């Protein structure tokens, strides 16, 4: 990757698009893992610093390896959507015995096909076919052949042309048959299940605990200046991230265990906690 600033040869450009909008920056990415206990202060137990272009999901396996090595293997690891894919959920369960809770991406072309989603098709894993809601069964699927473990399912053009739901299902008007991509069986079943679950109120209530994680991100960024690199290079920037989160933990622990009278005074002067963390 090319050098983008002479001030730090290891810093890299990255762009992230989220519901909050697009963010561009030059530097690094910080990944924090914290506890989510109901009866004790939440503390940050792990910090990972990586090059900015490295995607969140690519760091997850290393995070689980370090958590397991540290003895912090979670009962359930709650993550944002950037870390949650059918493959990462399967990998976390099979390799580290860690249940991963996070939203998987919905069908990116779903708006173009308002008739039937992939979940509306019946999958016959033994015979390697899909059957559409109108009863048409596809020929056996084939590997995609692009180096990715995906399966290509193409419905007969003639059958789709004669279907009253063709335009709503295929999303096109040129007479092509419906084309669906499947993941390998374990990952595809995970995708089906999580897409279904994440629409329910019970799943959303479980996932609401992540609001505390977002508050931690905001605290370390806005109160303790995490986003402002004071050093150059990945190794030294990681030291800054560790010191910042250590300061955050000290503030939280001191706030939790101070006498009640002091705790009220501490809350009335939030600038004091910011100052102590920076120090």
């Amino acid at each position: 990757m090319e050098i983008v600033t002479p001030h730090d040869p290891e810093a890299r450009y990255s762009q992230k698009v989220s519901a909050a909008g697009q963010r561009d920056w030059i530097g690094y990415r910080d990944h924090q893992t914290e506890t989510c206990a109901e009866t004790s202060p939440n503390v940050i137990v792990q910090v990972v610093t990586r090059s900015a272009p490295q995607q969140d999901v690519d760091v997850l396996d290393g995070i689980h390896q370090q958590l397991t090595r540290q003895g912090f293997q979670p009962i359930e690891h709650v993550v944002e959507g950037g870390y949650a894919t059918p493959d990462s959920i399967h990998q976390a369960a099979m390799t580290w015995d860690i249940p991963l809770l996070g939203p998987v991406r919905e069908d990116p072309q779903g708006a173009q096909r308002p008739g039937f989603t992939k979940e509306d098709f019946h999958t016959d894993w033994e015979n390697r076919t899909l059957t559409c809601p109108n009863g048409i069964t596809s020929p056996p699927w084939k590997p995609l052949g692009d180096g990715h473990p995906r399966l290509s399912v193409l419905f007969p053009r003639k059958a789709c042309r004669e279907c009253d739901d063709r335009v709503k299902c295929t999303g096109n008007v040129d007479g092509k048959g419906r084309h669906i991509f499947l993941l390998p069986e374990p990952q595809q079943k995970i995708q089906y299940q999580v897409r279904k679950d994440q629409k329910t109120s019970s799943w959303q209530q479980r996932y609401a605990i992540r609001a505390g994680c977002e508050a931690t991100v905001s605290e370390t960024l806005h109160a303790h200046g995490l986003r402002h690199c004071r050093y150059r290079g990945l190794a030294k920037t990681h030291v800054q991230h560790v010191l910042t989160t250590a300061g955050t933990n000290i503030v939280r622990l001191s706030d939790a265990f101070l006498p009640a009278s002091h705790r009220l005074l501490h809350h009335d002067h939030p600038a004091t906690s910011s100052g102590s963390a920076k120090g």
Side-chain angles (χ1 to χ4, degrees):
M1 293 182 288
E2 65 179 7
I3 296 174
V4 293
T5 171
H7 301 288
D8 186 347
E10 293 186 65
R12 296 292 182 266
Y13 167 80
S14 188
Q15 179 185 93
K16 186 173 184 178
V17 180
S18 64
Q22 178 177 309
R23 183 185 307 143
D24 301 79
W25 77 98
I26 295 174
Y28 306 92
R29 288 195 193 217
D30 172 71
H31 306 266
Q32 304 170 7
T33 306
E34 68 175 324
T35 61
C36 297
E38 296 182 358
T39 57
S40 60
N42 294 338
V43 293
I44 301 169
V45 296
Q46 187 193 73
V47 181
V48 175
T49 306
R50 291 292 183 266
S51 180
Q54 188 171 8
Q55 298 303 303
D56 296 341
V57 69
D58 296 328
V59 183
L60 189 62
D61 197 55
I63 289 175
H64 287 158
Q65 182 180 24
Q66 292 184 35
L67 286 173
T68 302
R69 185 180 301 161
Q70 293 172 242
F72 287 120
Q73 189 176 37
I75 298 173
E76 187 173 58
H77 194 182
V78 185
V79 298
E80 68 174 3
Y83 299 89
T85 67
D87 189 59
S88 68
I89 294 172
H90 182 259
Q91 172 80 1
M94 294 296 101
T95 304
W96 307 108
D97 194 25
I98 296 176
L100 201 66
L101 179 65
V104 301
R105 189 174 69 155
E106 296 289 349
D107 183 355
Q109 296 182 329
Q112 302 174 20
R113 298 189 293 262
F116 302 122
T117 66
K118 182 167 64 174
E119 287 75 16
D120 294 321
F121 290 71
H122 172 72
T123 309
D124 186 338
W125 292 103
E126 183 176 352
N127 293 312
R128 302 187 298 117
T129 61
L130 284 182
T131 300
C132 81
N134 288 336
I136 303 299
T137 298
S138 73
W141 57 60
K142 299 178 181 179
L144 195 57
D146 62 351
H148 298 283
R150 293 193 299 168
L151 308 169
S152 173
V153 188
L154 184 60
F155 279 80
R157 179 176 297 187
K158 182 178 183 297
C160 289
R161 280 179 175 174
E162 297 173 353
C163 180
D164 294 336
D165 294 315
R166 176 178 60 84
V167 175
K168 290 190 298 181
C169 177
T170 64
N172 64 68
V173 295
D174 54 5
K176 293 182 180 180
R178 178 69 183 266
H179 194 187
I180 292 178
F181 297 107
L182 294 178
L183 301 170
E185 183 175 357
Q187 289 90 330
Q188 187 57 64
K189 288 182 176 179
I190 289 171
Q191 186 184 70
Y192 283 152
Q193 190 63 49
V194 177
R195 282 182 174 177
K196 178 182 177 181
D197 291 346
Q198 65 193 25
K199 295 181 175 68
T200 65
S201 58
S202 59
W203 187 97
Q204 292 166 7
Q205 288 172 3
R206 285 172 59 204
Y207 190 66
I209 196 171
R210 256 206 62 80
C213 302
E214 296 300 332
T216 296
V217 172
S218 178
E219 178 183 358
T220 54
L221 292 184
H222 301 295
H224 309 314
L226 184 73
R227 200 169 273 169
H228 174 65
C229 287
R230 295 166 176 80
Y231 306 100
R232 298 177 183 178
L234 179 65
K236 290 184 178 180
T237 300
H238 177 62
V239 172
Q240 176 191 332
H241 291 168
V242 171
L243 293 175
T244 300
T245 53
T248 303
N249 285 341
I250 291 172
V251 171
R252 290 182 175 186
L253 292 172
S254 63
D255 184 52
F257 297 112
L258 279 174
S261 58
H262 290 184
R263 197 179 306 151
L264 290 175
L265 179 63
H266 190 69
H267 281 187
D268 287 342
H269 297 79
T272 304
S273 64
S274 297
S276 62
K278 290 178 180 177

